Amino acid sequence: MQRHVITALFIVLYACSGLFILSAPCTGEPAAKNVPHRIISLGPAITEALYFLGVEDRVVGVTTYCQKPPEAAKKEKIGTIIEINTEKIINLRPDLVIGTGLTNSKDIKKLKNLGINVVTFDISKDFDRLCQIFLDLGKLVGKEEQARTMIAESRKKIVKTQKKVENLPRKKVFVQLGSKPLFAVTRDYFINDLIEFAGGVNIFKDAKSGLISREEVVRRNPDILIITTMGIAGEKEQKSWQQYKTINAVKNKHIYLVDSDKICSPTPVSFVELLEEIVKILHPEAFEG
Amino acid sequence: MKKTILNWPLSMLLSVGFLLAASLYSLGSGSSDITLKDVIPTLLKGSGTPEFSILFDIRIPRILLGFAVGGSLSLAGVILQGMFRNPLVEPYTLGISGGAALGVALCIILGLHRVFPDLAMPLFGFIGAFAVALPISLINIRKGMVKTEGLLLTGVMISYISSSIVTLILAISSTEDLQGIIFWIMGSLEEPSWLLISIVLFISLICLVLSYIFSLDLNALALGEEEAIHLGVNVERAKKILFLIASVLTGVSVSIAGIIGFVGLVVPHFVRMLAGYDHRVLLVMSFITGAGFLIFCDTLARTIISPVELPVGVITGILGGSLFVYALGRRFLK
């Protein structure tokens, strides 16, 4: 069924599409003193960010996808990322619901109609956006200072990393998000920033859509091939690339698997952790000295 | 006429009973533990409590929309099956839903649903449904004659074309747009706007009355078009109007609730097994049974693996399909 393939693809894409852009909240934001005490998060990235900001005691509901940090999985579940249960949400009497670009707009509308404060974050495309979101989230829950500090620290670390790799040769990188259909990271994903900060060149930065052909991968000849593990599919994918001997990455055995949970947890803090991993892949020499 | 299992008043009573039971079951179940006994006290307490808003703003709208959409789809199914004398026709066969899906997909990638958030998607769905239904009829109406087989074949082809175009749109759209289209294709009775719910209710009931006027013509058509003409039925006019009614019913349901399969195919067959082939009974009873069936399926979808909500089409497909195969098997064994 085409439909199921597309749905599956779309969940993977979502997971990897990074954080969200704050669309202007329709309801007034709470004043500094009046912080929300019963928060419901409708996305794993948001849940993780709330934990980083140290407001986990105020989170009363999360989705079944919220597995990071492990404690988050113990919270009350209100549905999946795309199918939320409005009845359950109302029952939890939240004073703030934080939605994502994937939350069904009809559900959001319904909650707003019932007078619940709903703020939605849309899908973000780069690191700056990611920080902006984190900051907005911090403001929302009355932890602005903490958010600013964490962002500043992350930026510092990134600058340090960039200094390390700036004089090293830039390698051509191909990051694969999906296997059937083959899906690449384009400019529209924060992973693109990840590659560039780590001193690489994303070979599909210019692609309009991530749907690309294997032929094109062979033609653009990446030096490094990074596959996000989609369950078992990652291993299979690694094998299937072996038959394309002309690709530098295959010739020199530079095919790597990165845990998709990692690559899909977009908060400034985890971004930095991930960046270090990517730098090790691209420039192992930077760490041998 | 074939022998029926029950006489029609009894089977009508049965279907009304089923509808009421399904509605009450739906009203009393959900992820929060508000049961039927709590309904009256909650309503007496008045608005303001979370319980009241769960009942009044979440469960009741879904029941009403389930009633309208389930009824519409079954009614459209009965009309089309009777008109084409083909047991496999359902509202979606004619490509009307494919057209609606295409309309919605276009609306989403053009970003129009952000400009007019409430009305754009249903409106485009409806326009899409009609942009497909009209060519189908026009291609097949020659000299005032409607070619029935042609209508069916063109419908099927157009439905394939639209679904391919929707897949094309999905392939090239961005993640945010992708989810909008997917939600819609999966079908759901969640609808925040009371206005839209009332519109669907109103249209479905109007179409029920209109189609009832043609119930005798449908009975005549069941004997074949030649016979119907000899019986003095204005066959061409009846076919045009019935096709229009079925298109309106399907277009409206699909543009509000997305694509919910199987209701329009299975329910009419069930009702025929129970109440026979007289369209005077068949039309009304299919509407009521379809309404009850969809409300029941939606309640299962909401509660079966709570808090996760399943798409209602999953339940209608599995439940409707298996019940139907079972019933058909029993029938042949006799």
Side-chain angles (χ1 to χ4, degrees):
Chain A
M1 282 290 296
Q2 239 162 357
R3 201 185 295 171
H4 296 299
V5 173
I6 292 168
T7 313
L9 168 71
F10 143 75
I11 288 175
V12 171
L13 282 188
Y14 156 71
C16 300
S17 54
L19 250 194
F20 313 96
I21 298 166
L22 186 60
S23 56
C26 296
T27 41
E29 285 192 31
K33 282 173 197 150
N34 181 16
V35 292
H37 288 282
R38 296 184 65 78
I39 305 169
I40 290 181
S41 151
L42 304 181
I46 293 185
T47 307
E48 203 184 356
L50 290 172
Y51 271 79
F52 274 126
L53 291 166
V55 293
E56 61 269 30
D57 325 345
R58 298 196 232 143
V59 177
V60 293
V62 297
T63 68
T64 51
Y65 286 72
C66 299
Q67 303 291 343
K68 286 174 69 179
E71 303 85 76
K74 297 193 186 80
K75 295 267 182 198
E76 189 76 30
K77 303 279 186 296
I78 47 78
T80 62
I81 301 178
I82 47 177
E83 291 275 350
I84 60 169
N85 189 320
T86 36
E87 197 169 302
K88 192 134 194 185
I89 290 179
I90 289 177
N91 236 2
L92 287 168
R93 297 187 185 73
D95 50 13
L96 172 66
V97 174
I98 307 173
T100 72
L102 289 191
T103 315
N104 193 337
S105 55
K106 280 185 174 174
D107 287 332
I108 292 179
K109 216 173 150 38
K110 181 148 255 177
L111 292 173
K112 280 184 178 163
N113 286 349
L114 297 173
I116 291 172
N117 182 14
V118 187
V119 176
T120 334
F121 290 89
D122 253 309
I123 286 162
S124 114
K125 316 220 161 172
D126 54 35
F127 179 71
D128 285 345
R129 258 313 184 199
L130 218 116
C131 294
Q132 185 58 50
I133 300 294
F134 195 69
L135 185 60
D136 287 329
L137 206 55
K139 283 180 187 165
L140 213 56
V141 298
K143 291 272 182 184
E144 191 179 346
E145 274 316 300
Q146 200 159 342
R148 278 188 200 283
T149 321
M150 285 173 125
I151 291 168
E153 263 172 39
S154 304
R155 283 193 190 274
K156 242 188 252 154
K157 282 184 185 155
I158 287 174
V159 169
K160 225 163 94 184
T161 310
Q162 281 176 301
K163 279 224 168 67
K164 258 191 205 161
V165 298
E166 64 185 340
N167 297 322
L168 297 169
R170 298 209 152 246
K171 291 182 178 166
K172 291 193 291 180
V173 183
F174 169 55
V175 179
Q176 184 185 343
L177 288 182
S179 60
K180 283 179 184 164
L182 191 59
F183 211 92
V185 168
T186 62
R187 183 186 314 119
D188 289 341
Y189 295 90
F190 81 104
I191 299 171
N192 185 57
D193 266 2
L194 211 50
I195 299 169
E196 291 181 357
F197 291 173
V201 180
N202 177 8
I203 58 169
F204 286 108
K205 187 179 177 175
D206 60 336
K208 285 261 180 309
S209 147
L211 284 172
I212 40 122
S213 63
R214 291 209 187 247
E215 201 175 310
E216 194 58 20
V217 180
V218 174
R219 208 178 64 82
R220 298 193 182 195
N221 196 358
D223 304 311
I224 308 274
L225 217 154
I226 297 174
I227 302 166
T228 56
T229 49
M230 306 146 276
I232 312 161
E235 310 268 327
K236 263 206 206 133
E237 230 6 72
Q238 203 168 3
K239 281 202 188 73
S240 70
W241 281 111
Q242 295 302 336
Q243 53 186 309
Y244 303 97
K245 294 285 181 237
T246 58
I247 301 178
N248 288 340
V250 179
K251 233 185 312 197
N252 308 323
K253 299 210 165 45
H254 284 314
I255 302 181
Y256 302 91
L257 294 177
V258 174
D259 184 1
S260 53
D261 278 348
K262 249 190 200 142
I263 214 158
C264 310
S265 65
T267 57
V269 183
S270 45
F271 182 92
V272 173
E273 288 165 13
L274 199 54
L275 181 61
E276 282 177 3
E277 212 167 305
I278 303 280
V279 170
K280 277 181 191 151
I281 290 176
L282 262 60
H283 301 290
E285 67 272 27
F287 288 86
E288 297 164 2
Chain B
M1 284 288 161
K2 290 188 180 120
K3 203 164 68 82
T4 59
I5 300 177
L6 303 166
N7 57 357
W8 77 263
L10 194 63
S11 45
M12 191 65 96
L13 205 65
L14 196 71
S15 64
V16 172
F18 172 59
L19 172 63
L20 285 175
S23 309
L24 288 174
Y25 167 59
S26 180
L27 194 61
S29 39
S31 59
S32 55
D33 41 14
I34 305 169
T35 53
L36 272 182
K37 345 188 256 296
D38 311 330
V39 170
I40 305 289
T42 305
L43 290 179
L44 288 178
K45 259 188 238 162
S47 58
T49 58
E51 287 76 22
F52 183 87
S53 80
I54 283 172
L55 280 179
F56 202 77
D57 298 309
I58 289 179
R59 290 184 190 173
I60 289 177
R62 273 182 98 133
I63 293 172
L64 289 175
L65 194 62
F67 172 85
V69 170
S72 297
L73 290 174
S74 310
L75 184 60
V78 172
I79 292 172
L80 294 170
Q81 285 171 6
M83 198 171 121
F84 290 117
R85 294 193 303 286
N86 178 333
L88 282 178
V89 178
E90 62 160 336
Y92 299 153
T93 319
L94 292 181
I96 295 165
S97 61
L102 188 55
V104 168
L106 282 172
C107 163
I108 290 175
I109 56 167
L110 296 173
L112 293 167
H113 64 301
R114 293 197 186 87
V115 188
F116 318 101
D118 299 350
L119 286 172
M121 275 166 69
L123 189 69
F124 265 75
F126 195 72
I127 293 171
F130 270 78
V132 164
L134 280 177
I136 297 177
S137 350
L138 291 177
I139 291 170
N140 292 291
I141 294 173
R142 300 257 185 286
K143 299 184 195 135
M145 289 280 286
V146 184
K147 289 218 210 75
T148 316
E149 309 75 40
L151 212 55
L152 199 54
L153 280 174
T154 330
V156 172
M157 280 309 126
I158 289 187
S159 129
Y160 280 126
I161 295 170
S162 345
S163 79
S164 303
I165 298 177
V166 170
T167 312
L168 168 75
I169 291 175
L170 284 173
I172 55 173
S173 63
S174 69
T175 319
E176 303 96 273
D177 293 347
L178 203 59
Q179 58 98 204
I181 301 172
I182 300 246
F183 271 136
W184 192 86
I185 288 179
M186 287 209 290
S188 150
L189 293 177
E190 186 67 53
E191 175 54 60
S193 156
W194 276 107
L195 173 71
L196 288 177
I197 294 176
S198 343
I199 291 175
V200 184
L201 260 174
F202 180 72
I203 291 180
S204 63
L205 291 170
I206 291 274
C207 286
L208 178 60
V209 174
L210 282 178
S211 61
Y212 190 79
I213 297 170
F214 285 89
S215 53
L216 287 173
D217 297 20
L218 272 169
N219 282 348
L221 275 173
L223 302 170
E225 288 184 25
E226 289 289 319
E227 283 78 358
I229 293 171
H230 292 311
L231 288 169
V233 174
N234 184 343
V235 169
E236 297 310 320
R237 194 193 60 163
K239 278 200 293 189
K240 277 178 207 166
I241 293 178
L242 286 168
F243 183 72
L244 184 70
I245 292 175
S247 306
V248 170
L249 283 167
T250 314
V252 170
S253 319
V254 168
S255 53
I256 301 288
I259 295 175
I260 300 173
F262 246 86
V263 183
L265 178 65
V266 168
V267 173
H269 284 290
F270 257 116
V271 178
R272 269 189 219 102
M273 280 182 203
L274 281 179
Y277 290 75
D278 183 348
H279 281 85
R280 284 170 302 184
V281 180
L282 208 47
L283 290 171
V284 181
M285 206 169 133
S286 291
F287 189 97
I288 295 170
T289 313
F293 177 67
L294 191 57
I295 293 170
F296 179 68
C297 287
D298 183 55
T299 313
L300 281 187
R302 282 193 295 127
T303 51
I304 212 163
I305 48 169
S306 172
V308 178
E309 267 182 37
L310 287 171
V312 64
V314 172
I315 307 282
T316 53
I318 295 172
L319 195 71
S322 0
L323 276 175
F324 187 68
V325 169
Y326 168 76
L328 213 60
R330 291 268 321 255
R331 228 174 136 173
F332 282 123
L333 284 177
K334 284 177 191 171

